[in-house]
Amino acid sequence: MSSWLVPLAVALIVVWVVVRHVRASHSDTLLDEHARRRIGPDAVAPAAVSVWREANRMFRSGEAEGLLLLAEIGRQVPRRRQAVVDTWLAALRGGVSLGLDAPWRTAVQRELVAHLRPGDDFWPGMDLVAPGAILVDLDLSGCRVRRVDLVGAVFLGDARFEATTVTGDADFTGARFLRHALFTDVLFARAAAFGSVVFAGNVSLRSAQVADQLVFVRAKVSGRADLRGAEVSGLADFRHVRFGGRALFGDVVFHQDAWFRHAWFRGRTDVGSALIGEAAEFGNARFGRRVMQ
């Protein structure tokens, strides 16, 4: 090896180690750096209110550093966590005119999910309240949240809620899923509402568990609706639902009434092995193809 290559290799290794160290300690210094920037170099300690305002200002301006600074505030001050989550969700409710394009939305969602999924950086007991939000390829699989309010939200790309746990009510009323919606193995510890929801692709609630009522009134499903193995402890309300593709209810368990009045099943319907604890109502329901029993 040439004599000049050895020092060069050593220098590169040193640079790499320094960069790793700087990145590892970056989150620990964000608060102090931005507080000093706001209140001057001679300040003894950062002002919490100033830090919070600075973080929000930077975040609203679309600066990635503001996103990280808010996350650091949440780590260091647990009582601020819901406020941080609410700030992120407020951004996702904003329109494209505010400069929040798809890459920025996915970055915000990625940071959000990092704290909603159980692990080293998990923030328990968070409410997910973002009516009218625009969400891009949202993946909340394996997350654990308290209440969900995504009324009127628009989901671009696939929406994944696989094995998600919602300990409070979940309300998706009027939402639009523009591709596939995956709620496989989800646990709704209370009620789940999907009234008037539009599913442009497939929707899966396979093996889902709903501890209270499940409401799908006037929902429209263009693709396949898969509820095989799902279990609903309360009322299951599918009145006026339009199933455009296959409707699969095999091995589903409805502990109380299951209402399908005025529902329209355009594709093949499979209700084999379905168990209904009380009444099943299909008054004025329409079936476009055969029903598998």
Side-chain angles (χ1 to χ4, degrees):
M1 181 180 290
S2 300
S3 58
W4 61 273
L5 289 178
V6 174
L8 177 61
V10 172
L12 290 174
I13 292 174
V14 170
V15 171
W16 179 77
V17 171
V18 170
V19 170
R20 286 286 301 273
H21 175 73
V22 169
R23 288 180 177 175
S25 61
H26 185 57
S27 62
D28 294 332
T29 59
L30 274 172
L31 293 175
D32 290 340
E33 287 179 8
H34 289 284
R36 293 192 193 100
R37 188 180 305 170
R38 287 296 301 273
I39 61 178
D42 298 328
V44 176
V49 174
S50 296
V51 172
W52 176 252
R53 289 176 179 171
E54 175 72 355
N56 275 272
R57 183 196 65 77
M58 295 175 64
F59 177 69
R60 288 195 301 270
S61 299
E63 298 181 37
E65 205 166 2
L67 175 62
L68 298 177
L69 184 56
L70 285 169
E72 189 60 25
I73 290 173
R75 291 188 187 95
Q76 294 193 21
V77 189
R79 62 183 176 82
R80 285 277 193 178
R81 289 176 177 175
Q82 186 62 62
V84 171
V85 169
D86 291 343
T87 299
W88 290 337
L89 294 174
L92 297 175
R93 294 175 64 183
V96 177
S97 61
L98 299 180
L100 302 177
D101 55 7
W104 176 243
R105 290 178 190 277
T106 54
V108 174
Q109 290 172 189
R110 187 165 51 248
E111 190 65 43
L112 174 67
V113 170
H115 305 293
L116 300 181
R117 187 171 288 148
D120 294 337
D121 211 3
F122 176 52
W123 298 352
M126 295 295 101
D127 289 332
L128 200 62
V129 180
I134 301 173
L135 305 161
V136 181
D137 292 317
L138 181 66
D139 187 357
L140 287 173
S141 299
C143 290
R144 186 184 304 159
V145 297
R146 188 166 54 187
R147 181 168 66 98
V148 172
D149 179 355
L150 291 172
V151 172
V154 178
F155 295 84
L156 305 176
D158 290 343
R160 296 182 176 274
F161 293 81
E162 298 162 301
T164 299
T165 299
V166 182
T167 60
D169 290 327
D171 194 349
F172 295 88
T173 301
R176 288 179 289 163
F177 293 85
L178 301 186
R179 204 163 184 272
H180 303 313
L182 305 174
F183 291 87
T184 307
D185 292 313
V186 69
L187 171 60
F188 293 116
R190 296 185 65 178
F194 293 89
S196 300
V197 170
V198 174
F199 297 97
N202 300 330
V203 55
S204 174
L205 278 88
R206 189 166 184 171
S207 300
Q209 296 183 58
V210 184
D212 203 333
Q213 64 180 1
L214 174 64
V215 178
F216 261 79
V217 177
R218 299 188 183 279
K220 296 179 181 179
V221 185
S222 296
R224 181 180 66 250
D226 188 353
L227 283 85
R228 288 175 292 180
E231 183 174 358
V232 181
S233 298
L235 168 70
D237 193 346
F238 293 91
R239 291 173 298 164
H240 297 276
V241 176
R242 296 182 64 177
F243 295 97
R246 297 176 66 187
L248 307 176
F249 290 88
D251 297 318
V252 71
V253 178
F254 295 130
H255 288 274
Q256 296 186 27
D257 291 349
W259 295 347
F260 292 90
R261 292 197 299 271
H262 300 282
W264 187 8
F265 299 87
R266 299 185 64 183
R268 194 179 75 172
T269 304
D270 184 358
V271 293
S273 304
L275 297 177
I276 301 177
E278 297 186 13
E281 300 184 16
F282 286 87
N284 296 310
R286 289 186 289 172
F287 297 89
R289 296 188 180 182
R290 61 176 180 170
V291 180
M292 304 296 294
Q293 296 182 352

